[in-house]
Amino acid sequence: MTGVRWSEPDGTCEATARVVVGADGFYSTLAKILHPLTETFFPVQRCMYYTYFQGLDSIDEPTSEHHFAGNTLTYVFPTDANLTLVAISLPISDFRSFKKDPLQQLQTHLKSLPLLAPRLARAEMFSEIWGSGNIPSYQRIPFGHGWALVGDAQQIMDPWSGMGIDHATTHADFLAGALNRWLKEESSWEPAIDLLHKCAIIGT
């Protein structure tokens, strides 16, 4: 991979580069083009639904919360504009039944959480409910001649642990350092970029 080519009304355009980085997520266009080898793969285990509430009081000071109930985990993450993300992670076996009426299912579950339910009753649901039941776990080979993948384009981790974003930012930092050494001709491609592969393996 050394660039991209696209069509516009007045003709075809092209942009070239010494290396192309795919930081374009779960549906990565670069990964679809390259078909990198997959080193590890685990099928979908869990599903997730989430929405935003406005005016949700914190237990103490604004901080993230995790509420466990059986095999279900509820996340509460304060954001901006007085909004709070509320998400639940469920076994994938519950996806079909939950999908039939996500609002009712979500409300029923949230009412069962003793530390959260009273505060939610004083808050307002601010958005629709979004959900996903198609997130596997995998690790792809993260680089080749002239290309590299980072973030969800390279490694998907089930959101249950919340570790994926930490890995993505850490790997991006290592990649930036490796590309800097290579572009400054302080190192050849393989030694410079191989650190990204080693870190990805350690992170799984």
Side-chain angles (χ1 to χ4, degrees), residues 40-186:
T40 59
F41 180 87
F42 299 93
V44 178
Q45 300 291 320
R46 305 189 66 80
C47 59
M48 177 170 284
Y49 279 87
Y50 67 96
T51 187
Y52 290 86
F53 282 84
Q54 188 172 57
L56 178 61
D57 297 330
S58 299
I59 294 178
D60 188 5
E61 60 185 33
T63 187
S64 60
E65 303 173 30
H66 298 80
H67 300 262
F68 291 90
N71 200 10
T72 299
L73 172 60
T74 303
Y75 307 85
V76 181
F77 293 148
T79 63
D80 58 355
N82 198 29
L83 296 178
T84 302
L85 170 71
V86 177
I88 63 172
S89 173
L90 307 155
I92 192 61
S93 57
D94 294 341
F95 181 63
R96 183 169 296 181
S97 61
F98 201 100
K99 187 177 181 180
K100 292 179 180 178
D101 191 349
L103 177 59
Q104 179 62 45
Q105 294 275 9
L106 180 65
Q107 289 177 332
T108 299
H109 171 73
L110 294 177
K111 288 178 181 178
S112 72
L113 303 175
L115 294 180
L116 184 59
R119 292 181 287 137
L120 285 173
R122 299 190 296 270
E124 177 185 359
M125 187 178 291
F126 190 76
S127 70
E128 61 184 294
I129 300 171
W130 291 280
S132 175
N134 67 334
I135 303 175
S137 296
Y138 60 72
Q139 179 173 302
R140 293 169 170 149
I141 294 291
F143 73 93
H145 291 292
W147 62 269
L149 300 173
V150 291
D152 287 352
Q154 186 269 326
Q155 180 187 75
I156 286 284
M157 303 182 71
D158 192 288
W160 172 276
S161 67
M163 294 174 63
I165 186 65
D166 295 325
H167 285 217
T169 53
T170 299
H171 294 169
D173 184 54
F174 281 125
L175 176 61
L179 291 178
N180 182 56
R181 290 190 296 275
W182 177 65
L183 291 170
K184 292 169 65 176
E185 298 183 350
E186 296 175 354

Side-chain angles (χ1 to χ4, degrees), residues 1-3 16-20 145-147 182-185 189:
M1 292 290 297
T2 57
T16 60
R18 293 177 64 187
V19 60
V20 176
H145 291 292
W147 62 269
W182 177 65
L183 291 170
K184 292 169 65 176
E185 298 183 350
W189 173 258

Side-chain angles (χ1 to χ4, degrees), residues 6-44:
W6 69 96
S7 297
E8 295 189 3
D10 57 351
T12 300
C13 302
E14 185 173 339
T16 60
R18 293 177 64 187
V19 60
V20 176
V21 177
D24 48 349
F26 181 47
Y27 299 102
S28 171
T29 298
L30 187 63
K32 290 178 181 177
I33 293 171
L34 294 170
H35 300 290
L37 294 177
T38 299
E39 295 183 300
T40 59
F41 180 87
F42 299 93
V44 178

